[in-house]
């Protein structure tokens, strides 16, 4: 049982500072939607396919005069939206590298440069060609968010006390949703979603990075990173005491020592090695399915004009339940399922799966909706039922368990897998695992 204060001011500051990246992620996700017509008008003017006059909106923020959108405007607008996900897909593979390069805190600090650059590009959109500036800014911001959406859960998962790991882990998703809400409110036509202020609305995407850059230097580095990755025992002790108050950290250090021994056995695991290895196949399968369940739930396909008010109530309940289950859990459960060796690679691969499925849903949903009409969400209901069954059967309970105990659940599952190879003196499970570890080491060195 852990001793010492569980929740301290330093821990609260560290978690708050980290989830500012999640707030920025959510804001960037939602901010492009509200001012769509205004931005399309500026795209058209820049491309020379629309007259140089402001777009007139009615009191409720809708167009007073319907105009047919030029195909080139549609193309650049679609690219403005989708380039964000493409940037996230690419950068998600670098999460492990950035997190291990200088640590979790310095990693988050480094990538904030990208967020500031993206914000500046978008806030200056009117100074040059708006479609080029917005697309460039969205691409850089997507690249930042792909890194941030992996680094934030990684850091929180490593600093959170065992008893509060799940509760603190949900703050990533809570901050993301808060960012989406904030972007929708500021995007109202009488605030910033108008012809004059829309570049500022988009540029504010980089604002949380500035505040985070001021706060992160006050936060302790992950003690697990210091002990296991850098072998800095004294610094890990100081970090633990800063996070939990004055207490005897022996139990926590002993757990880290055991995990470090396991890491030294398994060596650093690359994405390619992780995908090929049968040693982590069950954990990886669970992690990827959890992220697929998040995106294929239909959350990014909700709030359409053809829905009735009764349907809107159902959507409200759907979003509420999503935010306490499929929304937050996939982000922090990956860090719990893997030990320090394969953890960065697993988080990177899970993040790539999430971003890719997000992009696919965003691109294909309009066509599916056109084909199925109002019955489109039956497809998502069927998928959710399948993911529910999978979660019940395959996802282990991680509450109150150490990383070592969680790993033991999967190791036990591998040992009980039917068809285990026999040897002259019994089953060859232990030998097979040892051989697999040696193969992992050689593959990693290669």
């Amino acid at each position: 049982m852990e001793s010492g204060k569980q929740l301290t001011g330093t821990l609260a500051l560290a978690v708050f500072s980290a989830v500012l990246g999640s707030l920025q992620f959510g804001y960037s996700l939602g901010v492009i939607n509200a001012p769509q017509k205004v931005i399309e008008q500026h795209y058209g003017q820049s491309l020379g396919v629309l007259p140089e006059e402001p777009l007139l909106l009615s009191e409720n923020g809708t167009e007073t005069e319907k105009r047919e959108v030029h195909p080139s405007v549609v193309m650049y607008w679609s690219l403005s939206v989708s380039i964000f996900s493409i940037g996230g897909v690419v950068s998600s593979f670098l999460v492990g590298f950035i997190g291990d390069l200088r640590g979790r805190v310095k990693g988050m600090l480094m990538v904030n440069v990208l967020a500031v650059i993206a914000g500046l590009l978008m806030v200056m959109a009117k100074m040059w060609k708006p479609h080029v500036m917005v697309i460039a800014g969205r691409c850089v911001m997507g690249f930042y968010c792909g890194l941030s959406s992996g680094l934030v859960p990684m850091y929180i998962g490593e600093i959170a006390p065992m008893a509060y790991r799940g509760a603190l882990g949900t703050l990533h998703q809570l901050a993301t949703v808060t960012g989406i809400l904030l972007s929708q409110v500021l995007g109202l036509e009488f605030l910033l979603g108008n012809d004059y202020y829309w570049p500022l609305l988009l540029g504010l995407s980089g604002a949380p990075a500035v505040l985070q850059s001021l706060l992160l230097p006050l936060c302790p580095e992950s003690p697990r990173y210091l002990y296991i990755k850098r072998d800095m025992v004294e610094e890990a002790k100081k970090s633990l005491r800063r996070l939990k108050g004055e207490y005897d950290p022996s139990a926590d250090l002993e757990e880290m020592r055991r995990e470090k021994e396991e890491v030294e056995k398994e060596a650093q695991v690359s994405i390619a090695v992780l995908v090929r290895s049968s040693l982590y196949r069950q954990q990886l399968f669970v992690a990827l399915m959890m992220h697929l369940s998040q995106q294929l739930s239909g959350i990014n396909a909700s709030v359409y004009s053809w829905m009735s008010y009764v349907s809107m109530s159902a959507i409200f309940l759907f979003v509420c339940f999503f935010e306490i289950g499929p929304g937050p859990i996939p982000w922090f459960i990956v860090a719990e399922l893997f030990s320090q060796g394969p953890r960065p690679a697993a988080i990177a691969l899970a993040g790539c799966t999430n971003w890719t499925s997000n992009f696919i849903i965003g691109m294909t949903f309009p066509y599916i909706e056109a084909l199925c009409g109002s019955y489109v969400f039956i497809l998502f209901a069927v998928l959710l039922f399948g993911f529910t069954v999978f979660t019940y059967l395959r996802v282990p309970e991680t509450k109150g368990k150490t990383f070592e105990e969680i790993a033991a659940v999967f190791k036990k599952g591998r040992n009980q897998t039917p068809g285990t190879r026999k040897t002259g003196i019994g089953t060859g499970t232990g030998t097979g695992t040892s051989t697999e570890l040696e193969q992992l080491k050689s593959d990693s060195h290669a």
Side-chain angles (χ1 to χ4, degrees):
M1 182 177 177
E2 293 179 304
S3 56
K5 293 172 66 178
Q6 294 291 302
L7 297 174
T8 63
T10 303
L11 177 63
L13 174 65
V15 173
F16 174 77
S17 302
V19 298
L20 283 173
S22 308
L23 179 76
Q24 186 161 306
F25 174 36
Y27 186 93
S28 300
L29 273 175
V31 72
I32 198 71
N33 296 318
Q36 176 181 350
K37 296 301 180 184
V38 175
I39 296 175
E40 285 179 342
Q41 174 76 10
H42 281 267
Y43 281 11
Q45 292 170 359
S46 176
L47 293 166
V49 297
L50 284 179
E52 293 284 337
E53 59 185 43
L55 181 69
L56 297 177
L57 299 174
S58 64
E59 291 183 358
N60 62 359
T62 60
E63 291 180 89
T64 55
E65 180 183 349
K66 291 289 182 182
R67 288 176 177 169
E68 189 171 334
V69 183
H70 194 274
S72 61
V73 174
V74 174
M75 181 190 72
Y76 281 112
W77 172 256
S78 300
L79 190 57
S80 300
V81 176
S82 62
I83 198 72
F84 180 78
S85 295
I86 294 173
V89 169
V90 174
S91 65
S92 61
F93 286 106
L94 300 175
V95 169
F97 172 76
I98 297 295
D100 288 345
L101 183 63
R102 298 294 299 276
R104 305 343 183 188
V105 172
K106 289 181 180 177
M108 288 187 284
L109 271 173
M110 287 191 300
V111 302
N112 278 344
V113 175
L114 296 172
V116 173
I117 292 173
L120 289 175
L121 284 169
M122 289 185 284
V123 83
M124 297 187 295
K126 284 186 176 181
M127 296 184 181
W128 195 46
K129 297 179 180 180
H131 56 288
V132 176
M133 298 290 278
V134 171
I135 290 171
R138 290 279 295 173
C139 180
V140 177
M141 186 60 76
F143 199 88
Y144 161 81
C145 288
L147 293 168
S148 178
S149 62
L151 290 171
V152 171
M154 183 190 296
Y155 178 64
I156 294 177
E158 291 181 352
I159 67 171
M162 189 193 308
Y164 297 99
R165 196 188 300 149
L168 294 179
T170 61
L171 294 180
H172 166 70
Q173 185 69 18
L174 177 62
T176 300
V177 175
T178 303
I180 294 173
L181 175 63
L182 182 62
S183 72
Q184 298 302 297
V185 172
L186 292 179
L188 293 173
E189 193 268 337
F190 67 89
L191 291 176
L192 300 181
N194 51 53
D195 186 72
Y196 188 77
Y197 286 115
W198 69 264
L200 177 61
L201 176 68
L202 299 187
L204 284 175
S205 298
V210 177
L211 177 58
Q212 190 184 54
S213 297
L214 297 175
L215 295 177
L216 281 177
L218 306 176
C219 302
E221 183 52 84
S222 162
R224 307 191 83 85
Y225 168 80
L226 293 171
Y227 190 104
I228 298 171
K229 288 289 185 182
R230 302 296 298 274
D231 202 23
M232 302 168 72
V233 180
E234 291 304 316
E235 286 77 1
K237 286 182 182 178
K238 292 177 184 177
S239 181
L240 282 169
R241 289 195 173 104
R242 286 186 64 190
L243 289 166
K244 296 186 178 183
E246 286 300 322
Y247 83 115
D248 181 7
S250 301
D252 288 327
L253 291 172
E254 174 61 21
E255 185 210 336
M256 292 181 201
R257 184 193 64 77
R258 292 195 300 267
E259 186 176 346
K260 181 177 174 63
E261 289 180 352
E262 292 297 320
V263 169
E264 289 171 348
K265 291 178 184 177
E266 62 194 6
Q268 187 66 37
V269 180
S270 67
I271 293 176
V273 172
L274 180 66
V275 171
R276 293 197 305 264
S277 171
S278 62
L279 194 61
Y280 305 110
R281 192 160 294 156
Q282 292 187 56
Q283 294 100 307
L284 185 62
F285 185 52
V286 168
L288 299 187
M289 287 294 286
M290 292 294 286
H291 275 271
L292 284 174
S293 72
Q294 184 193 81
Q295 292 300 323
L296 298 183
S297 65
I299 188 64
N300 288 323
S302 302
V303 220
Y304 266 78
S305 59
W306 42 265
M307 293 180 179
S308 65
Y309 289 106
V310 175
S311 296
M312 292 300 290
S313 301
I315 290 174
F316 177 78
L317 292 175
F318 171 76
V319 172
C320 287
F321 285 113
F322 176 85
E323 296 305 333
I324 60 175
I329 291 175
W331 289 111
F332 66 82
I333 198 172
V334 182
E336 296 181 332
L337 295 179
F338 293 88
S339 58
Q340 198 77 17
R343 186 178 296 145
I347 288 176
L349 197 57
C352 177
T353 301
N354 191 288
W355 281 93
T356 303
S357 54
N358 186 331
F359 174 73
I360 292 171
I361 288 295
M363 293 297 290
T364 60
F365 179 78
Y367 302 101
I368 299 173
E369 190 270 328
L371 181 66
C372 302
S374 58
Y375 298 101
V376 64
F377 283 94
I378 294 177
L379 173 62
F380 293 116
V382 172
L383 288 170
L384 277 173
F385 177 77
F387 287 125
T388 301
V389 173
F390 173 83
T391 301
Y392 179 77
L393 295 176
R394 299 296 298 274
V395 181
E397 178 57 69
T398 60
K399 182 179 180 180
K401 290 186 173 70
T402 65
F403 292 108
E404 189 179 38
E405 290 169 339
I406 295 169
V409 173
F410 288 101
K411 189 177 293 184
K412 181 181 178 182
R414 284 196 303 273
N415 293 344
Q416 293 177 348
T417 300
T420 302
R421 181 174 55 87
K422 298 288 184 180
T423 65
I425 55 173
T427 63
T429 303
T431 304
T433 301
S434 300
T435 304
E436 181 93 30
L437 288 170
E438 292 301 319
Q439 184 64 41
L440 281 173
K441 284 187 177 182
S442 63
D443 288 345
S444 298
H445 291 315

